[in-house]
Amino acid sequence: MTTIDAVTILSAIVFAGLGLAVGFARTLRFFTKGIFGFILSVFLCATFGGMVAGIPAVSDLIARLNTALTNAWSFLGKIHLETIIYYVLLFFVIQVLRIVIVKCIGGIFSVSNPVMKVINRVFGMVLMVAAIFLLVLLLFGILKIFEATEFVQDFLNNIDGTFLDVLYENNPVKFVADAADGTALLLL
C-alpha cells in the first residue's frame, strides 16, 4: 500500500464520517442544489431527451411545431428551432421535478423518528461516498481527454500502481470528441 492509497482510504473514511454526521437529507440537498443540480439536470436532459422525444405524442408535437415554425419562416425549420425549444422545456420540467422530488425525499428522511434518524445517517454516509466517487470518475474522464499533456502525464506517474491508477484505467465515464464540430460527448 502506497501513501496515495492510504490518503485515498483516509479521504473515503472522512467523507463517510461527514455523510454520517450530516445525514442523507442534507447530503442529497447539497448534491442537487446549485451547480450540481444544474449539471444533473443537463445530464438527465442529454441522457433521456431522445427517449422522451421518441414517445409518439411528444414526437407528433415536435413535428407539428416544426411545421408551424417552417411555415412561419423557412429558416426556423433549417436550424431545428423546435428541437431547441423541446430541450429547453425538458430542462425546465426536469428542474421542477428534481426540486419537488428532493424536497419530498428530504422531508421523509428529516422525520424526527429514532429509526429514520439512523437510516438517514447510514444512507447519508453511503450517498456522500458514492457522490464523491462519481465526481472522481467524472474528473478522471475529463483528464483522459487531456492525457497527452505534461500535467496529466505527471499526475499519472504519481498515481502509478495505486487504486486511483486502476480506477483511472478502468473508468466507465468516457468523453468522446465529435470530429464534426469538436465538442465532447459523455458516454457511460
Side-chain angles (χ1 to χ4, degrees), residues 61-123:
L61 186 62
I62 292 171
R64 280 187 283 163
L65 181 60
N66 183 32
T67 304
L69 290 172
T70 304
N71 289 340
W73 195 14
S74 64
F75 172 72
L76 295 177
K78 291 180 182 176
I79 64 169
H80 298 286
L81 184 61
E82 76 284 353
T83 305
I84 296 169
I85 292 170
Y86 162 71
Y87 275 103
V88 167
L89 289 175
L90 182 64
F91 175 79
F92 284 118
V93 167
I94 287 177
Q95 286 281 75
V96 169
L97 284 174
R98 178 184 55 81
I99 291 168
V100 169
I101 290 170
V102 167
K103 285 208 182 275
C104 290
I105 292 173
I108 291 169
F109 280 91
S110 296
V111 173
S112 190
N113 179 333
V115 174
M116 282 306 290
K117 284 183 180 183
V118 171
I119 293 172
N120 183 30
R121 301 291 180 176
V122 171
F123 281 12

Side-chain angles (χ1 to χ4, degrees), residues 154-171:
D154 289 342
F155 174 73
L156 293 176
N157 288 336
N158 289 336
I159 66 168
D160 189 37
T162 65
F163 169 73
L164 292 177
D165 183 39
V166 173
L167 193 62
Y168 181 82
E169 292 300 324
N170 299 302
N171 190 359

Side-chain angles (χ1 to χ4, degrees), residues 39 43 47 130-147 166-177 184-188:
I39 291 170
F43 174 75
T47 304
I132 298 298
F133 180 74
L134 290 174
L135 287 174
V136 168
L137 289 178
L138 184 63
L139 176 66
F140 281 175
I142 293 169
L143 288 178
K144 192 79 152 179
I145 295 172
F146 303 104
E147 198 169 36
V166 173
L167 193 62
Y168 181 82
E169 292 300 324
N170 299 302
N171 190 359
V173 177
K174 295 179 180 22
F175 290 97
V176 179
L185 304 170
L186 173 64
L187 297 178
L188 295 175

Side-chain angles (χ1 to χ4, degrees), residues 22-85:
V22 299
F24 181 80
R26 287 177 54 191
T27 303
L28 181 66
R29 287 184 192 117
F30 175 77
F31 281 112
T32 57
K33 274 189 176 180
I35 190 70
F36 289 126
F38 182 82
I39 291 170
L40 179 65
S41 295
V42 169
F43 174 75
L44 290 174
C45 283
T47 304
F48 298 110
M51 185 171 38
V52 172
I55 297 172
V58 176
S59 63
D60 290 342
L61 186 62
I62 292 171
R64 280 187 283 163
L65 181 60
N66 183 32
T67 304
L69 290 172
T70 304
N71 289 340
W73 195 14
S74 64
F75 172 72
L76 295 177
K78 291 180 182 176
I79 64 169
H80 298 286
L81 184 61
E82 76 284 353
T83 305
I84 296 169
I85 292 170

